[in-house]
Amino acid sequence: MKVYIREKEIQKRVIQIAKTIEKEIGSKEVVFISNLKGSIMFFSDILRNINSNSIKIDFIATESYTGKESSGEIKIVKDLSLDIYNKDIYLVEDILDTGLTLNTLVNYIKEIHKPSSIKIVVLLDKPSRRRVNLNVDYTGFVIEDKFVVGYGMDYNEKYRNLPYIAVLD
Ligand code: IMP
Ligand code: MG
């Protein structure tokens, strides 16, 4: 396993994104949604760096991967618990790869939960593998087509606890 993005570098970028979002939201009430499980660390690091008393959080969970390959079929395995009708949403995801997960998720949330707006925040973007077009509002790092783990991301459910991002060999 090789370190790909160091903890310090991740934290620096997370703070930049959090501060930009902080300015954008001001005192407006917004709901941050974490797409489980991969985004947990990014989600909590972003949140703790935003100074606001008007943020609510919620969780949704999708599944698509077995090992290193996306099945292409995205299942919602856990739905939201808050009512986000007419609310402004920030959807936080670990990786944008083919785009199928986020695309399916955004369409599902729009159709079923009808928020007023959705902004997308992703930690990593692998543009070389994109299969659907998607507009992302905030991206942490654009990376090559490598399978990464750590900082929330897994290989068969392991390595999520690493504080840095690594490449599996
Ligand atoms: P997409 O549907 O192909 O865009 O894949 C996005 C989902 O696959 C993300 O939610 C990730 O959890 C997972 N994923 C994609 N690439 C990687 C990787 O390199 N490491 C770990 N998980 C990944
Ligand atoms: Mg995921």
Side-chain angles (χ1 to χ4, degrees):
M1 207 162 47
K2 266 213 317 271
V3 177
Y4 189 60
I5 307 177
R6 283 177 301 122
E7 187 177 355
K8 269 215 172 111
E9 211 180 322
I10 299 171
Q11 293 306 327
K12 200 173 122 191
R13 184 73 186 118
V14 164
I15 290 170
Q16 286 173 344
I17 294 174
K19 292 302 163 194
T20 310
I21 295 176
E22 183 182 292
K23 282 205 193 90
E24 185 174 84
I25 63 182
S27 58
K28 196 169 69 175
E29 185 178 305
V30 299
V31 184
F32 274 71
I33 298 172
S34 162
N35 181 27
L36 297 171
K37 306 171 191 167
S39 69
I40 51 154
M41 293 219 184
F42 182 46
F43 186 69
S44 67
D45 282 344
I46 288 274
L47 285 170
R48 80 179 85 215
N49 284 290
I50 299 177
N51 185 9
S52 161
N53 297 322
S54 309
I55 294 175
K56 293 182 180 177
I57 69 169
D58 206 353
F59 300 91
I60 197 161
T62 52
E63 256 172 26
S64 67
Y65 266 60
T66 327
K68 292 187 180 181
E69 279 309 311
S70 173
S71 66
E73 192 191 310
I74 286 80
K75 284 181 292 186
I76 312 275
V77 294
K78 183 225 168 292
D79 209 338
L80 301 172
S81 61
L82 292 180
D83 181 7
I84 60 161
Y85 176 74
N86 253 334
K87 303 279 186 208
D88 294 306
I89 298 308
Y90 284 79
L91 180 60
V92 182
E93 171 67 319
D94 53 358
I95 295 201
L96 180 57
D97 189 14
T98 62
L100 291 170
T101 301
L102 263 181
N103 194 50
T104 306
L105 192 53
V106 167
N107 287 339
Y108 173 82
I109 291 174
K110 278 185 183 162
E111 200 178 308
I112 303 296
H113 296 289
K114 301 185 166 48
S116 156
S117 71
I118 302 188
K119 295 227 170 176
I120 300 175
V121 188
V122 298
L123 174 64
L124 303 177
D125 181 5
K126 286 188 207 173
S128 60
R129 304 225 318 155
R130 195 77 82 256
R131 282 166 61 188
V132 289
N133 229 7
L134 203 85
N135 276 337
V136 171
D137 299 279
Y138 298 98
T139 304
F141 303 92
V142 176
I143 64 166
E144 308 150 82
D145 182 14
K146 290 189 187 300
F147 194 85
V148 293
V149 296
Y151 196 62
M153 293 167 288
D154 74 307
Y155 173 63
N156 286 343
E157 296 297 329
K158 289 182 184 157
Y159 308 106
R160 294 193 194 274
N161 57 303
L162 302 178
Y164 51 86
I165 296 167
V167 173
L168 272 193
D169 14 57

